[in-house]
Amino acid sequence: MASKEGEKSKGAQGTGDTKEKRRKESILDLSKYLEKSIRVKFAGGREAAGILKGYDPLLNLVLDNTTEFLRDPDDPYKLLEDTRALGLVVCRGTSVVLICPMDGMEAIPNPFITQEG
């Protein structure tokens, strides 16, 4: 009876391995951003920038020399000029919404807001 249970667990484990291997493949190639400055937006509106030191397939990130961009307490979608130094940070992948490189990025005015003049 114990051998049948062992066989069942081996069979279930064998199918789990193929799913696990398929799941571990990431659609993002962050290797080109290692040791470079990136900016990360999180669920809930927080934003941070730092040097990407490491990552995993679940998009957990390790950032060094991290700076958080503080938000306006009255309007949570508006960023202030104030920042806060955080240092070495581990960012949980489930809360990461956007990753963009700091090099080659520039702010542009919102084209959807009508300019009153």
Side-chain angles (χ1 to χ4, degrees):
M1 190 168 188
S3 63
K4 287 183 181 179
E5 288 177 12
E7 289 174 15
K8 286 181 184 177
S9 65
K10 286 181 185 177
Q13 189 178 17
T15 57
D17 287 344
T18 57
K19 286 182 182 178
E20 187 177 344
K21 287 181 183 175
R22 195 177 320 128
R23 188 183 323 135
K24 284 188 178 180
E25 293 177 16
S26 181
I27 58 171
L28 295 176
D29 181 23
L30 294 178
S31 62
K32 58 186 169 187
Y33 299 118
L34 282 173
E35 302 297 327
K36 294 185 181 170
S37 291
I38 61 168
R39 187 163 178 154
V40 183
K41 291 187 182 184
F42 299 97
R46 286 188 170 184
E47 292 187 33
I51 299 170
L52 183 64
K53 292 292 185 178
Y55 65 95
D56 68 4
L58 298 175
L59 226 55
N60 296 315
L61 306 174
V62 178
L63 299 176
D64 197 10
N65 298 330
T66 307
T67 303
E68 179 184 7
F69 298 94
L70 300 178
R71 296 177 290 169
D72 187 353
D74 299 328
D75 185 6
Y77 296 105
K78 183 179 179 185
L79 290 177
L80 298 175
E81 296 296 322
D82 296 337
T83 59
R84 176 171 70 161
L86 300 177
L88 186 65
V89 174
V90 176
C91 307
R92 187 173 168 101
T94 56
S95 65
V96 172
V97 174
L98 179 113
I99 301 171
C100 60
M102 294 292 284
D103 298 337
M105 186 180 93
E106 62 182 47
I108 62 168
N110 188 341
F112 301 107
I113 295 178
T114 56
Q115 300 294 329
E116 295 179 18

